[in-house]
């Protein structure tokens, strides 16, 4: 089956990922639903432990199968991934879907040249000869902006700078023209200039190949640069979804307001003090009852009957837009307007 406008390229339905630890069951992802079309970028944002990386490792089938209980549906171009065999997943990883990790040094082998690592990935999935694989590696290094690629192809990872290693990893992830690319904080460890170059590179490659991208980050500034749609995760659940403009300009969830308040204003005065969210992300071994954000939320007294701590707010999505909060639409508008006013003075 081929993806069409009616059928998204990637479709995740009510995904639950729970894994066993010595201390109990961690509910890392607890009912996540989203779609992604070809050529589009979904930004998944949230603090550490919100479930964003686990979601993507599960899509790629890289979770520990013995200790993980998974429920729901993940359809990639119509193919159900949760029931696919390890062999099928291995085939799909590389030529259909691929991932860029945060730490290129840890992801590249120090014992093999950059060219060999890119070329081997290509050979594995296409059956190309060694010569063809080397040519392809040079072509990919050139495409990701490595100068003198025909010379640098024989370098080892330690001979590359941090930014070049990240580019090499992108080259490796894209060598088989994957249709889905998952980028997990790919620029966090890089300086701002290199970060901007990598983001431009991903956008160019997406335009060229029509790749669908999931971009995982804790940084809403990065989301503002690259995403089409945004999914905000908290405590293993989606708390807000919408287009980039909707989520960044008119957010509806107190957690998203908190995330925006803890970063420099995107277009307001530069001297507005940052306002980090109080408290820490919840334990997923023993998550809070009701709304998982309630121990950190400053709006709980606006909801009658202590509902925030007893009843989980439902995520109602209309036309791709929604937030999981007991506040009414009018309350959200009013409180966000108050918040925005404090950010513009
Ligand atoms: Fe805050 Fe209650 Fe809304 Fe959760 S449901 S975000 S605790 S107001």
């Amino acid at each position: 089956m081929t993806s069409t406008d009616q059928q998204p390229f990637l479709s995740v339905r009510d995904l639950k990922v729970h894994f066993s630890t010595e201390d109990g069951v961690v509910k890392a992802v607890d009912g996540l639903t989203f779609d992604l079309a070809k050529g589009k970028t979904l930004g998944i944002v949230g603090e550490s432990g919100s479930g964003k990386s686990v979601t993507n490792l599960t899509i790629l089938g890289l979770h520990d199968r013995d200790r993980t209980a998974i429920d729901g549906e993940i359809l990639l171009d119509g193919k159900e991934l949760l029931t696919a065999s390890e062999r099928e997943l291995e085939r799909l990883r590389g030529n259909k879907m691929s991932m860029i990790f945060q730490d290129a040094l840890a992801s590249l082998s120090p014992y093999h040249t950059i060219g060999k690592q890119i070329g081997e990935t290509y050979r594995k999935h296409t059956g190309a000869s060694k010569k063809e694989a080397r040519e392809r590696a040079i072509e990919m290094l050139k495409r990701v902006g490595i100068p003198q690629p025909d010379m640098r192809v024989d370098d080892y990872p330690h001979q590359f700078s941090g930014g070049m290693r990240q580019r090499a990893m992108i080259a490796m992830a894209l060598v088989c023209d994957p249709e889905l690319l998952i980028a997990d904080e790919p620029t966090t460890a890089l300086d701002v200039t290199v970060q901007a170059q990598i983001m431009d590179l991903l956008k160019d490659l997406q335009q060229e190949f029509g790749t669908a991208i999931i971009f995982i980050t804790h940084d809403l500034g990065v989301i503002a640069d690259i995403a089409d749609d945004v999914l905000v995760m908290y405590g293993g659940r989606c708390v807000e979804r919408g287009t980039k403009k909707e989520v960044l300009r008119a957010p509806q969830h107190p957690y998203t307001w908190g995330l925006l308040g803890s970063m420099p204003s995107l277009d307001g005065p530069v001297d507005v003090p940052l306002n980090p969210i109080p408290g820490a992300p919840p334990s997923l071994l023993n998550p809070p009852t009701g709304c998982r954000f309630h121990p950190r939320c400053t709006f709980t007294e606006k909801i009658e009957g202590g509902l925030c701590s007893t009843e989980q707010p439902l995520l109602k999505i209309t036309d791709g837009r929604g937030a999981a909060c007991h506040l009414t639409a009018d309350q959200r508008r009013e409180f966000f307007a108050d918040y925005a006013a404090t950010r513009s003075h």
Side-chain angles (χ1 to χ4, degrees), residues 43-47 50 217-221 223-224 229-235 237-266 274-278 291-294 296-299 315 317 321-325 327 332 335-337 339-340 342-343:
I44 302 187
V45 68
E47 294 164 293
S50 59
T217 181
H218 63 277
D219 185 343
L220 283 173
I223 291 286
D229 294 322
V230 182
L231 190 156
V232 182
M233 284 192 79
Y234 187 81
R237 290 181 182 153
C238 173
V239 294
E240 178 157 8
R241 240 173 70 188
T243 64
K244 169 174 74 178
K245 199 167 161 203
E246 287 166 341
V247 174
L248 295 186
R249 299 291 166 213
Q252 294 187 353
H253 196 281
Y255 176 61
T256 316
W257 303 343
L259 284 179
L260 282 165
S262 57
M263 63 175 273
S265 174
L266 294 173
L274 301 186
N275 203 358
I277 306 169
C291 172
R292 290 189 175 173
F293 187 54
H294 87 259
R296 303 171 77 187
C297 184
T298 50
F299 296 92
L315 179 68
I317 300 288
R321 179 72 178 124
C325 175
L327 292 171
R332 290 179 206 172
F335 299 145
F336 178 63
Y339 155 84
T342 64
R343 297 278 290 164

Side-chain angles (χ1 to χ4, degrees), residues 91-227:
R91 196 174 45 76
L92 290 172
R93 282 193 298 266
N95 55 12
K96 196 94 175 170
M97 55 184 181
S98 186
M99 184 152 181
I100 309 171
F101 295 93
Q102 184 183 130
D103 185 353
L105 200 53
S107 308
L108 292 166
S109 162
Y111 305 111
H112 301 288
T113 63
I114 295 278
K116 173 137 184 157
Q117 295 184 59
I118 298 172
E120 279 306 308
T121 305
Y122 188 59
R123 287 190 69 197
K124 190 168 149 195
H125 290 284
T126 63
S129 68
K130 282 190 177 169
K131 185 166 174 285
E132 288 165 338
R134 182 183 161 83
E135 278 163 13
R136 175 73 172 166
I138 293 170
E139 181 196 331
M140 290 309 295
L141 288 176
K142 186 172 175 200
R143 183 168 280 160
V144 299
I146 300 287
Q148 298 179 293
D150 46 342
M151 314 262 294
R152 304 305 301 252
V153 72
D154 296 319
D155 280 359
Y156 287 85
H158 74 269
Q159 293 171 284
F160 271 31
S161 67
M164 281 166 67
R165 278 196 293 268
Q166 204 66 19
R167 282 166 192 265
M169 196 164 55
I170 293 174
M172 197 152 82
L174 295 175
V175 70
C176 297
D177 297 335
E179 293 164 87
L180 170 67
L181 179 69
I182 298 177
D184 191 350
E185 307 259 12
T187 58
T188 304
L190 304 173
D191 71 49
V192 181
T193 316
V194 182
Q195 194 172 23
Q197 288 169 355
I198 300 275
M199 303 286 272
D200 286 345
L201 172 66
L202 287 176
K203 284 186 259 183
D204 288 350
L205 292 168
Q206 182 175 51
Q207 269 208 324
E208 194 177 338
F209 298 113
T211 321
I213 299 180
I214 296 180
F215 201 100
I216 307 171
T217 181
H218 63 277
D219 185 343
L220 283 173
V222 171
I223 291 286
D225 188 22
I226 200 159

